[in-house]
Amino acid sequence: MEPKVATQDVRSHILETAQVIISGKGFSAVGLNQILQAAGVPKGSFYHYFGSKEAFGEELLKSYFADYHETLDAMLSRPGLNGAERLISYWQTWLETQSACDPKGKCLTVKLAAEVSDLSETMRAVLARETSRVVARLEQAVAEGIEDGSLPATLNAKVTASTLYQLWLGASLRSKIIRDPEPMKCALTATKEILGL
Amino acid sequence: MEPKVATQDVRSHILETAQVIISGKGFSAVGLNQILQAAGVPKGSFYHYFGSKEAFGEELLKSYFADYHETLDAMLSRPGLNGAERLISYWQTWLETQSACDPKGKCLTVKLAAEVSDLSETMRAVLARETSRVVARLEQAVAEGIEDGSLPATLNAKVTASTLYQLWLGASLRSKIIRDPEPMKCALTATKEILGL
DNA sequence: CACACTGTAGACGACTGGTCTAATCGTGTT
DNA sequence: AACACGATTAGACCAGTCGTCTACAGTGTG
C-alpha cells in the first residue's frame, strides 16, 4: 500500500509527475491518462484539483517558474563572487542542466514556448510574465556587475540581459535539434565575448 | 466547381495548406482531418501521397526548407551589396516576416523544433540537417564579408554564424511569447554589435 | 471494348482525448 | 450508532485521433 498523503500533496504530485513527462513530450501530445497513470492518481481526481487541462498547464508553468526563480536568484546572489562571475556561473549551470539527460531539469520554456503561445492565451500570459521576470533579474545582475567593475560600464544592462537570454533560448533549441551541447558551448563563448570578458 | 488540378499539385496543395495550419497550431495538435478538410482533399488521397502523418511531417519540413534555402541564398547573393549589408538584409527580412501576421511566412523551425525533436526521430533529423545547412550558408556569408573587408577580420565565421542564428531563434521564440517584435529588434541591434558594425 | 492503373471518395474500426455526473469514501458530530 | 457532508473517485460519454479498406472515376493502352 502506498503511504497516505495529505490532499495538497496529491496536487503537487500530479504537477511534479507531469513536469517530467511534459518536458519530454510536450503539452498537446501528452494525455491526461498518461500523466495520471504515471502519478498513480485516478482520472476522476484530476478535475477535483484542476479546472481543465489548460488550467492545469497554467499551474504547471507557475510551479515550474516558482522553482526557477528561486534557483536563479540563489545563483545570482551567491556571495564571494563578483557580478560577472555570478552571471557566468548561471550560464554554466544552464549548459550543464540542459546537456544532462535528467528530464527533471529540462527547461519548460524552451520546450513549451512555441507550442503553447498559439494554443492557450492564459498559458502564454504566464510564460510572458515569468520570462520577463527572469530577464529582469538578469538585467539586475548585469547592472551589479557594472557597479562592481567586473563588467564594462559601456554595457546597456537591459539590452544585454535580453540579448543573452534570447541567445541561450535559441542555443538550447538548436542543441535539442542536433542533440549536441555544442551550440550551448558556442553560446557560452559568445556570452563572454558580449560581456567583454 | 474547383478547377481540375494536375496530380502532383494535389500533393503540393496539401503541403501548402498544412504549412499554414501547422505553423499556427503545431504538429501534434493538428489532425489530418483538419488539414484535409481545409485543403478540400479526401482522406483516401492523403495516404496515397504520404505513408503516415510522420512521413508527411518529414515532407512538410523538406518542402519548407527547400523554399527557405532558395530565398536565403537569393538574399545572400544579392549583387550591389557588400557582405555585411547582405547579412543585415537577411536579418532585416527575418524581423519583418516574423513580425507580420501572415502565417504563410512563419518560421517552422521556431514553431516545431522543440515539439518535434522528441517526437519523431526522422523529423528531427530533417531539422538537424537543414538548419545546419542554413548555418553553413550564413558562415559562408560571414566569410565573404570578411573577405571583402565589410566585416572585421577578427571574426570567426563559424562561431559567428552559429551564434547569430541561435540568437535569432531565441529572439523569435521570445517574440512569440510576448507577442511583440521588440526582442527581434533587440537581436538586430546585437547582431550589428557582434558583427562590429 | 476490355483491362490496368492512378487517384478519389469517404465510411469505418480501434482507440484515445478531455470532461462531467453520479456514486462512494472518510471523517467529525450528534 | 446514525447521520451528514465535503472530499474523492469510477466510469460513462462523445468528439476526435490515425489509419485501413472497399468502391469507384477517369485515363491510357492493348
Side-chain angles (χ1 to χ4, degrees), chain A residues 24 28-29 110-111 113-115 117-118 124 127-128 131-132 159 162-163 166-167 170-171 173-174 176-177 179 183 186 190, chain B residues 24 28-29 110-111 113-115 117-118 124 127-128 131-132 159 162-163 166-167 170-171 173-174 176-177 179 183 186 190:
Chain A
S28 300
V110 172
K111 182 68 194 183
E115 178 185 0
S117 286
D118 304 304
R124 185 195 67 76
L127 278 169
T131 54
S132 292
V159 171
S162 260
T163 300
Q166 290 161 29
L167 172 65
L173 205 55
R174 180 131 169 80
K176 227 178 169 21
I177 297 174
R179 278 207 181 357
C186 172
Chain B
S28 300
V110 171
K111 181 68 195 182
E115 180 186 359
S117 287
D118 305 304
R124 185 195 67 77
L127 277 170
T131 55
S132 293
V159 171
S162 259
T163 301
Q166 290 162 28
L167 172 64
L173 206 54
R174 181 133 167 78
K176 228 178 167 20
I177 297 175
R179 277 204 179 2
C186 172

Side-chain angles (χ1 to χ4, degrees), chain A residues 110-169:
Chain A
V110 172
K111 182 68 194 183
L112 296 184
E115 178 185 0
V116 149
S117 286
D118 304 304
L119 191 71
S120 155
E121 179 55 26
T122 57
M123 289 177 75
R124 185 195 67 76
V126 175
L127 278 169
R129 175 161 39 86
E130 302 299 329
T131 54
S132 292
R133 281 186 57 199
V134 172
V135 173
R137 184 65 187 82
L138 289 172
E139 179 187 339
Q140 183 197 326
V142 173
E144 288 166 5
I146 296 170
E147 193 86 13
D148 71 20
S150 59
L151 293 178
T154 49
L155 284 178
N156 175 326
K158 196 181 208 69
V159 171
T160 304
S162 260
T163 300
L164 290 178
Y165 187 69
Q166 290 161 29
L167 172 65
W168 279 87
L169 233 38

